Amino acid sequence: MELVRKLAAGFKCIFVTGPIKPDRADDLAADAFGRPDLTDYQSILKIPDGVMLMGGRSPTRFGGLLELTRRPDRPVRPDDRYRFKVFMLSLGSNTRITGLRLGGYNQIYTRDQGDKTRAIAINGSTGVMVDNNEIFGWPHSGVYVTGMPDRRTAPRITGNFIHNKVQCNEGQAVG
């Protein structure tokens, strides 16, 4: 996958053009799982410190798409690497996600399934900006923020269109 190759090569500004399905084993470069800075036990893909992902979303253009095709903590095969994943993206400090569409796999099934799948996780990372994105179809939350001891360093989440958070008793846009 081109996105993983660029992250592994140390690119700091990456323009996402087409649909990318990071939960598909054939879409991920093999070296992503050997690089501790690109994945972890909870995240399908970690965005390293100082990286900007942008997709060109505007009122007249859809922009780049990152989407899951299935629940990541339910393996298709017994050896599936996504068995315990709950975040599509985990953001490092001083990162920016802008102008993308982040699609979850569930836009209509509303019954509470105890599904904690989220689009973006920000865990204690400072200087983060999430703006001008369309975030949809996530059972738990579009953007999940934890570990922010000081409001001055809290992430800026602005100008996003967050919709179809469908799971009963969860379904938060920003949690």
Side-chain angles (χ1 to χ4, degrees), residues 35-101:
R35 302 246 340 201
D37 58 332
L38 293 182
T39 191
D40 64 21
Y41 71 99
Q42 286 189 311
S43 306
I44 292 173
L45 191 58
K46 285 177 58 177
I47 306 303
D49 294 351
V51 170
M52 177 170 42
L53 291 183
M54 56 186 168
R57 183 177 173 272
S58 74
T60 59
R61 301 183 74 194
F62 284 122
L65 171 66
L66 295 175
E67 83 175 319
L68 292 187
T69 58
R70 63 182 168 84
R71 184 174 177 173
D73 64 347
R74 268 198 195 154
V76 173
R77 300 178 310 273
D79 65 338
D80 198 329
R81 292 179 169 140
Y82 304 108
R83 170 172 291 152
F84 304 110
K85 308 291 183 179
V86 291
F87 309 122
M88 182 170 67
L89 301 176
S90 179
L91 305 184
S93 292
N94 302 309
T95 57
R96 183 176 181 193
I97 306 297
T98 184
L100 286 171
R101 290 179 298 141

Side-chain angles (χ1 to χ4, degrees), residues 70-71 73-74 105-117 137-140 165-171:
R70 63 182 168 84
R71 184 174 177 173
D73 64 347
R74 268 198 195 154
Y105 61 90
N106 180 11
Q107 296 181 42
I108 56 172
Y109 190 67
T110 60
R111 200 174 100 220
D112 186 358
Q113 303 172 63
D115 188 345
K116 302 294 185 190
T117 307
W138 297 95
H140 189 273
K165 308 279 153 260
V166 296
Q167 184 171 272
C168 292
N169 299 322
E170 293 291 353

